[in-house]
Amino acid sequence: MSATSPTVAVPPFRGRIGDDPRSGYYAAPHRYRLHLSPACPHCLQIAVTHSLLGLGEVLPVTPLPAVPDAPDGGHRALRPLYEASAHLHPGPALAPVLHDNWTGTVVSTHAPDIVRDLARRFGGPGPCLLPRDTDEAFAAVERLCEQGVEATAQRAGLYGGDRAERDLALATLLRALDVLELRLASRNHVLGDELTLADVRVWVTLVQLDTVHRHHLDASAVHRITEHPRLWAYARRLTAHPAFGPHLDLDGIARRHHARCRGTEAAGAAVPIIDWQAYVHRRTPEPTPEATPEPTRGTG
């Protein structure tokens, strides 16, 4: 098995925040609270979005441990919230959670819905992260990250699996990275020259690819992954952004990975792609679309 179990947990709560007070859940200052563990990729995506929108004063965040502390794999601190929302909830109390302080119930545990609602329903001082004309493009980037990168990296790192299947998965992964590399050839960000939710999604995917999935790939595969210089330069640039890098808990990601992992470490573990920590507090200027970054090799 690769980095983590391939089982995908079905989110038990899928409430949405509307812009009509009659809808039940509507955006209001101090009504909601987020419960996040940035070592979790879904929580990391929400945490970065929350910071980009400048929502710290109106929508507080409660941090959770990197490694869930309940015997069933959930978070002890979230169990009362789950029980208040669904009596005798059968599964683990997982993060992320968007909680409604007024009703005492969990609104949503589904990260894609949460980030969309933060971007669309809360008017923070930050940028417009999900312009109305980008819905389809953003959904395509989400699919590319989930199916083209994350799922294929998982299959390419399966220990003891069929070699042909692993090679096919790696080829699919490299094609997805090629698509992202090509997008960045003439623009600063994935959907254009403005930062959007698509960039947050891609950055989190690249963090997981290097800090988790790489450990189960062979060295030659990792070297081929590094042969996307614009993409990894873009990852370094976003890491230096004050809304991105400070949320990056590398130690927590490592501890969460080792606590959940059932796979076997491969030679790729010794070939890091980026020294993420080196860019966390480094401010880098936005490049012009014509700028061509230096090739990425080794630790980056």
Side-chain angles (χ1 to χ4, degrees), residues 48 203 238-249 276-277 279-281:
V48 173
W203 181 77
L238 290 183
T239 305
H241 191 293
F244 285 75
H247 292 294
L248 193 53
D249 181 6
W276 297 93
Q277 192 60 48
Y279 290 88
V280 167
H281 299 294

Side-chain angles (χ1 to χ4, degrees), residues 1-297:
M1 194 174 293
S2 184
T4 58
S5 171
T7 300
V8 177
V10 177
F13 302 101
R14 290 287 302 271
R16 301 299 300 270
I17 297 178
D19 52 8
D20 183 347
R22 293 171 298 181
S23 68
Y25 294 124
Y26 60 91
H30 313 294
R31 175 173 180 175
Y32 304 98
R33 176 175 291 273
L34 287 164
H35 299 260
L36 304 176
S37 171
C40 159
H42 302 300
C43 293
L44 180 58
Q45 184 183 359
I46 296 170
V48 173
T49 302
H50 180 270
S51 289
L52 284 170
L53 293 169
L55 298 178
E57 292 297 322
V58 299
L59 204 172
V61 175
T62 296
L64 296 168
V67 180
D69 54 358
D72 60 1
H75 290 276
R76 295 180 189 274
L78 296 180
R79 174 53 60 182
L81 305 184
Y82 271 66
E83 293 289 355
S85 306
H87 183 59
L88 298 179
H89 175 74
L94 302 173
V97 163
L98 176 64
H99 178 249
D100 180 12
N101 295 318
W102 293 1
T103 64
T105 58
V106 174
V107 178
S108 180
T109 58
H110 188 55
D113 289 348
I114 293 173
V115 295
R116 282 176 169 82
D117 287 350
L118 293 184
R120 284 271 165 81
R121 308 305 183 191
F122 286 86
C128 179
L129 297 180
L130 191 59
R132 292 290 177 182
D133 61 349
T134 63
D135 282 337
E136 290 187 9
F138 175 49
V141 170
E142 284 190 306
R143 289 192 298 271
L144 183 69
C145 289
E146 182 178 353
Q147 301 171 17
V149 179
E150 294 163 356
T152 56
Q154 183 95 358
R155 294 197 301 272
L158 284 174
Y159 177 74
D162 182 78
R163 180 69 193 188
E165 291 182 2
R166 297 202 306 272
D167 289 345
L168 178 60
L170 177 61
T172 305
L173 166 61
L174 293 173
R175 283 196 298 272
L177 298 181
D178 289 343
V179 170
L180 294 171
E181 178 79 2
L182 183 61
R183 280 178 173 267
L184 294 168
S186 59
R187 62 188 81 181
N188 291 339
H189 298 95
V190 173
L191 297 186
D193 288 330
E194 300 299 326
L195 187 65
T196 68
L197 283 183
D199 298 291
V200 181
R201 184 67 172 88
V202 171
W203 181 77
V204 171
T205 297
L206 294 176
V207 168
Q208 286 294 111
L209 181 58
D210 188 16
T211 62
V212 175
H213 296 299
R214 170 179 56 83
H215 291 264
H216 301 275
L217 298 171
D218 61 40
S220 64
V222 176
H223 282 299
R224 294 177 69 185
I225 288 170
T226 68
E227 293 172 353
H228 298 83
R230 293 185 182 89
L231 182 58
W232 293 107
Y234 157 87
R236 293 193 294 269
R237 173 161 53 88
L238 290 183
T239 305
H241 191 293
F244 285 75
H247 292 294
L248 193 53
D249 181 6
L250 296 171
D251 176 68
I253 291 173
R255 287 188 287 113
R256 183 176 186 272
H257 174 207
H258 291 307
R260 295 159 53 92
C261 181
R262 300 295 181 270
T264 300
E265 190 170 274
V271 189
I273 299 172
I274 289 183
D275 181 357
W276 297 93
Q277 192 60 48
Y279 290 88
V280 167
H281 299 294
R282 184 186 301 183
R283 297 298 299 274
T284 56
E286 288 287 297
T288 61
E290 294 78 15
T292 301
E294 291 299 319
T296 303
R297 291 287 186 178

